[in-house]
Amino acid sequence: MVNQWAIIAIAFAYVLGVANIFRVNSQVIARKGRDWIYKVVLIAGFVIMFAFGILKGVNEGTTFNWIFMNALYPMQATMFALLAFYIASAAFRAFRIRSFQAALLGVTAVLVMIGRVPIGELVWKDFPNFTEWIMNVPQLAAKRAIMIGAALGAISTGIKVLIGLERTYMGGE
Amino acid sequence: MPASELIGTWVAAGLTLFCFSFLYKDNPFYKFAEHLYVGISAGYWTSLEYHNVFRPNLWDPLMRLDLNLLFTFPGIGFALMWQSIILIVPFAFGILLFSRLTKNFAWLSRWSMALIIGIFAGIAIIGYSTGDLILQINANLLPLWTGNWLSSLNNILLTLGVLTSLLYFFFSKEHKGAIGAGAKIGIWFLMISFGASFGYTVMSRMSLLIGRIYFVLGEWLGIIS
Amino acid sequence: MRNFFEKLEKLDRRIIFIFVAVALILPLVVPLNIKFSSTPPVQSFYDAIEGLPPGSKVLLSADYDPGSMPELWPMHLAALRQLCRKNIKIISTQLWATGSPLAERAFNEVAVEEFHKKYGEDFVNLGFKEGREVVMVSMGNSIPETFPSDYHGNRTKDLPIMKGVKNFSDLALIVNISGGLPGTKEWILQVVSRFHIKLASGCTAVSAPEFYPYLQSGQLTGLLGGMKGAAEYEQLIGVTGLGKRGMDSQSVAHLVIFFFILIGNIAYFSIRGMKKEGD
């Protein structure tokens, strides 16, 4: 029952977030702040999507769904796709093997990158098995340690919240 | 191809190119696409919350309340419909959240925040203690000699790796002597794991770009099938 | 020579972008068809579904957004194909709002158009629910109460597929396609450990390394990591989708990144060496 209450309350929290976006951007438009014309686009996009969603439904074949498939989906996918270019740029400009530890990181990265694609198997037929070994033994060990440490942290934070020692979520000390 | 699908493909292609234009430099086309994306996203999420949470989990059960029965025979009415009536409580918590937008009554939203955070804290304790702590420690209690040298070596490395990596994060004692040596070995395992994560991250980012190129060259321009 | 390496180090990033774009476009236009084999985590994912008796009910949670589609959409379609082929009944939920239309589209493409399955009897889309881990725990108590109506507004309890389904104990397996948080980790922590049901997961390559400990401990039954995982899985079920087609581009792109790292370091160490000699 309490879980159902949380589901409903969290949904209202999302709407609160959207209401805040509306408020902040409306203020920029009202005082003709920086890039205010783009804020008009933002508000218009929100109103159109919201209106179609509430009034005409969200299922396949609706205008809401058309906007999702032909506007939201390509824009979101492309925003994330841009990261490929930046990771290549970062690999060229910032990836410097200055120490033994950086060398370990770099060599592992290269072995995993080549081993996880078909060209790795073409170079050496056991490359994928070697990459799997890296993932299943040394990599796993470190990830497990991080996991155990994070779990201890999460449990202690949870207990602190429940007994009232942690009150920053309320804006307190 | 139907007209709406054709128009949709061109709109999608246009917006894709607007976003890609950022690679050259920031420009009005990119800014337009960025703001449109934020606006449409916000509208999308709000509509989905309405259709998938507000209506089925709150509004419809409240609307199905038989008010005649409730006011005529309150005891029986409440006994039969208490699960729907009690939804007024989360509804009130939800409305209280909006008090954050005011100056004088913002403190009322703390009640709703307390409910949400409290539930998540409780769930986190159970989940992390069973899933991440106990079961993961249990999975690492491996025999150091299995009869086969390769699996024995793997188990030794796993045990050594977990212990030394955990030792690296132990800051209650200075990393000197045996603890220092252990922590140093722990860093090596951590560097291997970060390298593996970097390799997989590269794979992930490239895949996302492959998807967009596939759309531009395939679905839009028809160069690839 | 030093000038050359200094210019190389300060190379305009837009030239790097061109190299990346060419590396990805060329293999899509001129496929290389490099062969590859399956890895054990993918085989385990396949076996987890293959081992289910026909008529079993499986929860398919599509927890992703369009940002992760190139990696996860091929997995989603391939999983649906295997499930439909085995005549397994599919109950789909989403913990990401953007997953709902994607799940609906996947069902239409595979379950309806390819396998002529009937909505409400062979599969159902219960839609999105807000609340992350709270939803998972709530489903452990009662799925129909958590999802009183499906994506189309039908009452969940009235659907034939939902007869006899109260919570996870009435399901044979959870198949999770995960784009991040909430996703595989939350399903493992909140559901697998607590409600003792098997979980097979497909996830983005970014998240895959952190799930290997769960594979080893048995909390995860199978894992598809990124586009390569999708490609291996497509190969196992005998289809050629975006996963398999993207592998050539992936191979060339990784080689390009490797050369960028190599050249960047050669330039760096050359300049450092020349500076020391100069001193």
Side-chain angles (χ1 to χ4, degrees):
Chain A
M1 183 183 73
V2 179
N3 288 330
Q4 293 295 323
W5 292 9
I7 289 170
I8 293 163
I10 292 161
F12 274 95
Y14 268 90
V15 178
L16 171 70
V18 168
N20 206 37
I21 291 173
F22 209 91
R23 185 175 72 135
V24 163
N25 288 286
S26 302
Q27 285 168 353
V28 174
I29 294 169
R31 63 167 198 271
K32 287 206 164 53
R34 195 164 163 259
D35 288 340
W36 70 271
I37 203 106
Y38 298 111
K39 311 299 179 197
V40 174
V41 171
L42 192 155
I43 301 280
F46 168 76
V47 168
I48 290 168
M49 196 65 168
F50 182 67
F52 275 115
I54 299 296
L55 298 172
K56 296 281 185 185
V58 301
N59 293 329
E60 200 150 312
T62 58
T63 308
F64 180 89
N65 195 256
W66 188 94
I67 298 173
F68 172 82
M69 283 301 187
N70 297 299
L72 182 61
Y73 159 29
M75 283 195 287
Q76 186 168 27
T78 313
M79 297 285 185
F80 279 91
L82 292 177
L83 294 168
F85 294 105
Y86 294 112
I87 206 167
S89 174
F92 179 74
R93 289 163 156 218
F95 205 130
R96 296 289 177 259
I97 298 173
R98 291 191 176 102
S99 63
F100 172 67
Q101 289 150 4
L104 260 181
L105 195 153
V107 168
T108 311
V110 168
L111 288 174
V112 168
M113 270 198 302
I114 305 297
R116 282 299 290 158
V117 288
I119 215 154
E121 206 170 332
L122 202 66
V123 166
W124 174 36
K125 73 168 173 53
D126 283 325
F127 215 141
N129 294 334
F130 178 60
T131 310
E132 274 304 303
W133 178 85
I134 293 175
M135 298 306 292
N136 279 312
V137 183
Q139 189 276 146
L140 192 156
K143 283 284 187 306
R144 180 165 278 162
I146 293 169
M147 212 180 260
I148 290 169
L152 289 168
I155 293 163
S156 65
T157 305
I159 292 170
K160 282 200 290 189
V161 164
L162 290 180
I163 63 174
L165 277 177
E166 179 71 52
R167 284 179 298 200
T168 48
Y169 63 90
M170 285 198 289
E173 339 56 66
Chain B
M1 191 191 261
S4 66
E5 223 176 283
L6 185 67
I7 295 167
T9 305
W10 277 84
V11 166
L15 290 170
T16 300
L17 294 174
F18 282 7
C19 292
F20 272 135
S21 68
F22 185 74
L23 292 169
Y24 184 68
K25 62 177 179 178
D26 198 5
N27 60 81
F29 294 111
Y30 174 76
K31 279 195 177 133
F32 169 81
E34 181 190 37
H35 285 80
L36 184 66
Y37 166 61
V38 173
I40 290 176
S41 268
Y44 177 86
W45 275 85
T46 317
S47 300
L48 265 281
E49 297 290 353
Y50 171 79
H51 283 288
N52 287 282
V53 182
F54 184 75
R55 280 282 300 270
N57 287 60
L58 179 67
W59 191 251
D60 289 346
L62 283 174
M63 288 300 108
R64 279 197 292 267
L65 283 174
D66 188 344
L67 293 172
N68 266 333
L69 177 66
L70 196 61
F71 289 120
T72 315
F73 302 102
I76 298 169
F78 191 82
L80 289 172
M81 297 183 291
W82 72 271
Q83 282 183 322
S84 295
I85 295 168
I86 211 146
L87 287 173
I88 291 168
V89 175
F91 187 40
F93 274 120
I95 298 295
L96 279 178
L97 268 171
F98 287 96
S99 66
R100 280 185 95 83
L101 297 170
T102 64
K103 273 195 190 135
N104 296 326
F105 299 103
W107 62 272
L108 284 169
S109 66
R110 287 181 183 179
W111 289 98
S112 311
M113 291 303 298
L115 170 76
I116 295 168
I117 299 293
I119 289 173
F120 272 105
I123 282 173
I125 291 170
I126 308 259
Y128 278 101
S129 55
T130 51
D132 260 3
L133 192 63
I134 295 168
L135 288 173
Q136 285 299 310
I137 292 171
N138 188 46
N140 218 66
L141 296 171
L142 299 161
L144 297 181
W145 177 247
T146 62
N148 172 261
W149 73 268
L150 184 63
S151 64
S152 301
L153 178 69
N154 288 342
N155 289 353
I156 291 167
L157 278 173
L158 260 173
T159 308
L160 181 73
V162 173
L163 287 173
T164 52
S165 300
L166 277 171
L167 198 60
Y168 174 74
F169 293 113
F170 186 69
F171 298 117
S172 304
K173 240 179 142 46
E174 210 177 335
H175 287 182
K176 270 186 183 166
I179 293 177
K184 205 163 191 167
I185 296 170
I187 294 176
W188 297 346
F189 279 94
L190 286 164
M191 288 297 128
I192 290 172
S193 93
F194 296 148
S197 292
F198 178 78
Y200 267 76
T201 303
V202 168
M203 187 161 88
S204 186
R205 304 296 175 225
M206 291 298 156
S207 306
L208 303 183
L209 185 54
I210 288 168
R212 291 326 291 157
I213 291 172
Y214 204 78
F215 164 75
V216 169
L217 296 183
E219 282 179 53
W220 182 42
L221 295 173
I223 295 172
I224 53 176
S225 60
Chain C
M1 197 65 175
R2 184 168 157 171
N3 270 340
F4 168 73
F5 282 121
E6 276 171 353
K7 274 188 187 158
L8 193 63
E9 260 216 320
K10 291 187 184 117
L11 189 68
D12 191 332
R13 62 183 187 176
R14 287 172 290 197
I15 296 175
I16 299 170
F17 295 165
I18 292 169
F19 271 101
V20 171
V22 169
L24 290 170
I25 290 170
L26 276 179
L28 279 175
V29 178
V30 184
L32 303 169
N33 295 318
I34 306 172
K35 293 199 182 349
F36 55 91
S37 52
S38 309
T39 49
V42 175
Q43 188 67 53
S44 301
F45 185 102
Y46 175 83
D47 293 340
I49 295 176
E50 201 62 20
L52 295 173
S56 312
K57 289 178 185 171
V58 156
L59 181 76
L60 176 74
S61 195
D63 307 327
Y64 65 102
D65 64 4
S68 337
M69 262 183 94
E71 293 182 278
L72 302 180
W73 180 249
M75 290 179 197
H76 191 170
L77 293 184
L80 274 178
R81 282 192 177 99
Q82 192 185 6
L83 288 164
C84 288
R85 225 182 259 174
K86 295 255 338 160
N87 291 319
I88 288 164
K89 297 189 189 294
I90 310 160
I91 300 166
S92 182
T93 59
Q94 300 89 48
L95 297 174
W96 291 42
T98 38
S100 292
L102 302 178
E104 192 66 12
R105 192 173 146 192
F107 271 133
N108 286 334
E109 261 187 52
V110 176
V112 175
E113 285 174 22
E114 267 183 55
F115 290 89
H116 312 292
K117 297 289 183 184
K118 219 169 156 209
Y119 187 87
E121 286 178 24
D122 302 310
F123 70 96
V124 66
N125 184 3
L126 294 181
F128 157 72
K129 199 60 67 181
E130 188 57 76
R132 297 168 27 170
E133 294 98 313
V134 177
V135 176
M136 295 172 186
V137 173
S138 179
M139 285 167 75
N141 184 40
S142 170
I143 297 173
E145 266 182 41
T146 312
F147 293 88
S149 59
D150 71 356
Y151 185 64
H152 303 280
N154 307 308
R155 287 199 67 179
T156 308
K157 284 181 179 161
D158 297 337
L159 297 167
I161 191 176
M162 294 302 293
K163 283 203 168 33
V165 175
K166 185 171 186 254
N167 52 39
F168 295 122
S169 57
D170 303 310
L171 301 171
L173 177 72
I174 299 174
V175 174
N176 173 232
I177 308 294
S178 163
L181 172 78
T184 302
K185 190 174 172 91
E186 287 67 39
W187 281 107
I188 292 170
L189 295 184
Q190 302 301 338
V191 175
V192 173
S193 318
R194 203 190 280 212
F195 301 104
H196 310 292
I197 181 169
K198 282 187 182 171
L199 173 73
S201 168
C203 65
T204 57
V206 165
S207 335
E210 70 175 281
F211 299 139
Y212 273 80
Y214 296 121
L215 263 177
Q216 189 264 348
S217 67
Q219 288 165 281
L220 198 53
T221 302
L223 181 68
L224 308 176
M227 197 183 246
K228 176 76 186 332
E232 289 176 32
Y233 186 45
E234 283 174 351
Q235 190 163 257
L236 281 174
I237 64 161
V239 297
T240 302
L242 176 61
K244 238 178 140 181
R245 289 213 59 185
M247 279 298 101
D248 293 337
S249 291
Q250 194 96 66
S251 295
V252 176
H254 284 205
L255 280 178
V256 165
I257 299 289
F258 165 61
F259 282 117
F260 278 145
I261 295 173
L262 190 67
I263 293 165
N265 279 284
I266 288 171
Y268 169 73
F269 283 109
S270 302
I271 292 169
R272 213 168 83 156
M274 285 174 200
K275 273 185 183 160
K276 274 187 182 161
E277 272 176 25
D279 296 338

